[in-house]
């Protein structure tokens, strides 16, 4: 039976959903504002804004199920489609992920530890919040920030007055600055029948606020750390009666993890699963939303994923490296843009590191035309 999957958003995440879904017998329609959207290569592309409900209804015509690949999709668009087909993950997940106060409050209510936080709606609020949270702390806009944008670190009292207008004097959150050892994330999938499976927690390195390198499983991952990471996502998926893949970004402080951000979709830190796990996050997302049995989330061995930021590396040089798998999103080169990624697999960690070094060097050397 062919299933028709309507996807709100048509970037590389949609493209990889398509690549995973075609062998499962799925056909895809994507809604994206860009006529050249990456996912157009693997399905029908409806060009329209994501807040254009009429265009979204067109994209969802005859859909078996509707999903989304971007947490910025207006929840109103997702809800408008619910009368025609199930929308998974639930649109409530968008309400939560789009507002940092709602997000952190939800996590706290579920007993998932976060950095201390206070809502800030004025400069006076900000001074009061600094008195409560202390310094250093980090001011973030409640809405619209991503990849480190819309944030200011407050290190001493003189930073406070300038940060508020610099972020646009908009509704914000002040968070305590977490002295983490490293950043992790946990990607999980919940099926329609409530079964939850988690991939191993991974370690993420960022550059200029953009994910650069994921190591999977996170080096040193033991059962206790995996349990702590899963405890930061399982209650959320159960509470929302979530269906599909979700990611929670975490700070690792050694004996405790804190949840920082929820991404109610397939996630960049899960790209390694395509070659590195028994079942990829993209395939399991589709299996979940279509009511199919979930696949194993076990890793096949150690792996790592390097994002290609700005421009693609030398293709043939990458392909000559054993265990290197190139993913070129066919996007125009542009500073700061995610244009592809390389996953490296190996039988054991030492070989992985030896293969990874030239991949990182080639990605660093990629130049903008
Ligand atoms: P976010 O947009 O919340 O994902 O934050 C982007 C990056 O800023 C994170 O990946 C961290 O490196 C850093 N960051 C965010 N929040 C905090 C915090 N409360 N304490 C320390 N670093 C943070």
């Amino acid at each position: 039976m062919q299933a028709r999957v309507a996807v709100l958003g048509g970037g590389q995440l949609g493209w990889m959903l398509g690549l995973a879904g075609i062998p499962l017998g799925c056909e895809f329609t994507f809604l994206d504002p860009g006529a050249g959207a990456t996912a157009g290569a693997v399905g029908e592309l409806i060009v329209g804004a994501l807040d254009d409900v009429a265009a979204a209804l067109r994209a969802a015509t005859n859909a078996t199920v509707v999903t989304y690949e971007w947490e910025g999709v207006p929840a109103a668009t997702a809800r408008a489609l619910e009368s025609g087909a199930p929308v998974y993950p639930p649109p409530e997940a968008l309400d939560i992920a789009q507002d940092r106060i709602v997000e952190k409050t939800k996590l706290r209510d579920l007993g998932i530890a976060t950095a201390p936080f206070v809502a800030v709606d004025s400069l006076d609020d900000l001074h009061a919040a600094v008195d409560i949270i202390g310094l250093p702390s980090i001011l973030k806009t409640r809405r619209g920030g991503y990849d480190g944008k819309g944030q200011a670190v407050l290190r001493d009292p003189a930073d406070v007055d300038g940060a508020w207008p610099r972020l646009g004097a908009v509704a914000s959150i002040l968070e305590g600055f977490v002295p983490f050892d490293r950043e992790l994330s946990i990607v999980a999938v919940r099926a329609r029948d409530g079964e939850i499976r988690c991939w191993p927690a991974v370690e993420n390195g960022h550059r200029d606020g953009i994910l650069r390198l994921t190591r999977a499983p996170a080096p040193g991952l033991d059962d206790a750390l995996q349990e702590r990471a899963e405890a930061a996502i399982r209650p959320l998926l159960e509470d929302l009666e979530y269906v599909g893949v979700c990611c929670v970004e975490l700070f690792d402080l050694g004996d405790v993890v804190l949840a920082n951000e929820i991404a109610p979709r397939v996630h960049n830190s899960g790209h390694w699963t395509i070659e590195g796990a028994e079942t990829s996050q993209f395939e399991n997302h589709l299996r979940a939303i279509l009511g199919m049995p979930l696949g194993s989330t076990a890793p096949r061995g150690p792996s790592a994923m390097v994002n290609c930021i700005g421009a693609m590396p030398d293709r043939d040089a990458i392909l000559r490296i054993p265990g290197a798998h190139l993913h070129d999103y066919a996007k125009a080169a542009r500073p700061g843009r995610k244009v592809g990624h390389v996953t490296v697999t190996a039988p054991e960690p030492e070989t992985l590191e030896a293969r990874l070094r030239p991949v990182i060097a080639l990605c660093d050397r990629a130049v903008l035309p």
Side-chain angles (χ1 to χ4, degrees):
M1 187 206 70
Q2 286 283 329
R4 178 155 281 277
V5 182
V7 185
L8 305 176
Q12 63 265 19
L13 301 177
W15 178 68
M16 288 183 269
L17 282 170
L19 292 173
I22 291 166
L24 293 176
C26 301
E27 292 177 341
F28 289 85
T29 306
F30 300 93
L31 174 68
D32 195 275
T38 304
V42 292
E44 183 190 0
L45 178 64
I46 305 281
V47 179
L50 290 159
D51 60 1
D52 180 345
V53 171
L57 285 166
R58 245 183 302 133
T61 308
N62 297 325
T64 316
V65 67
V66 177
T67 190
Y68 46 88
E69 57 101 78
W70 182 47
E71 70 272 31
V73 168
T77 303
R79 290 202 169 93
L81 304 180
E82 284 184 306
S83 56
V87 177
Y88 296 130
E92 189 189 353
L94 293 169
D95 296 327
I96 293 167
Q98 287 171 7
D99 182 324
R100 292 186 191 272
I101 290 287
V102 177
E103 181 178 55
K104 290 244 156 51
T105 304
K106 172 58 92 175
L107 291 166
R108 188 175 58 191
D109 290 350
L110 291 169
I112 298 170
T114 69
F117 66 94
V118 174
V120 171
D121 291 312
S122 66
L123 183 55
D124 284 347
D125 278 3
L126 179 56
H127 282 283
V130 168
D131 288 343
I132 296 166
I133 303 280
L135 295 175
S137 52
I138 178 160
L139 182 67
K140 305 177 181 178
T141 57
R142 277 176 74 154
R143 296 183 155 268
Y146 65 96
D147 284 349
K149 296 184 183 72
Q151 301 193 2
V153 177
L154 310 181
R155 296 197 183 278
D156 69 61
D159 295 335
V160 175
D161 285 335
W164 178 247
R166 195 146 31 86
L167 290 196
V170 294
S172 295
I173 180 173
L174 187 74
E175 294 179 14
F177 191 88
V178 178
F180 54 77
D181 296 339
R182 57 177 178 169
E183 295 188 70
L184 306 174
S185 58
I186 181 84
V187 178
V189 61
R190 184 174 179 275
R192 285 189 186 190
D193 67 6
E195 181 188 4
I196 294 175
R197 295 192 183 196
C198 301
W199 284 269
V202 300
E203 180 183 302
N204 299 318
H206 296 86
R207 186 186 290 174
D208 301 327
I210 301 173
L211 180 66
R212 174 64 169 173
L213 174 66
T214 295
R215 280 192 166 84
L221 183 70
D222 57 15
D223 290 348
L225 179 55
Q226 180 68 19
E227 257 173 52
R228 285 198 285 277
E230 291 193 16
I233 195 166
R234 284 179 179 272
L236 179 72
L237 300 188
E238 279 159 7
D239 178 75
L240 295 176
E241 297 187 29
Y242 195 94
V243 176
V245 163
C246 184
C247 174
V248 175
E249 295 181 32
L250 305 167
F251 298 137
D252 184 9
L253 286 88
D255 49 1
V256 65
V257 299
L258 300 181
N260 180 45
E261 204 163 46
I262 301 164
R265 53 168 170 81
V266 288
H267 191 259
N268 196 170
S269 69
H271 290 1
W272 67 275
T273 59
I274 296 175
E275 294 91 3
E278 289 295 335
T279 315
S280 80
Q281 62 167 347
F282 302 99
E283 180 172 341
N284 259 346
H285 181 72
L286 294 164
R287 290 191 191 206
I289 66 174
L290 288 162
M292 299 174 180
L294 297 180
S296 164
T297 49
R300 294 180 168 163
S303 63
M305 189 259 354
V306 184
N307 263 345
C308 307
I309 298 165
M312 289 301 291
D314 180 324
R315 182 195 62 197
D316 289 3
I318 291 285
L319 295 179
R320 280 189 202 101
I321 298 168
H325 304 270
L326 186 72
H327 300 254
D328 184 340
Y329 309 155
K331 286 166 116 177
R334 191 195 295 159
R337 194 179 203 195
K338 293 175 183 171
V339 293
H341 74 266
V342 181
T343 299
V344 186
T345 58
E348 17 63 37
E350 295 69 32
T351 311
L352 180 71
E353 293 305 317
R355 292 174 174 181
L356 187 54
R357 272 189 293 276
V359 170
I360 291 173
L362 285 161
C363 290
D364 280 343
R365 231 180 288 145
V367 282
L368 292 162

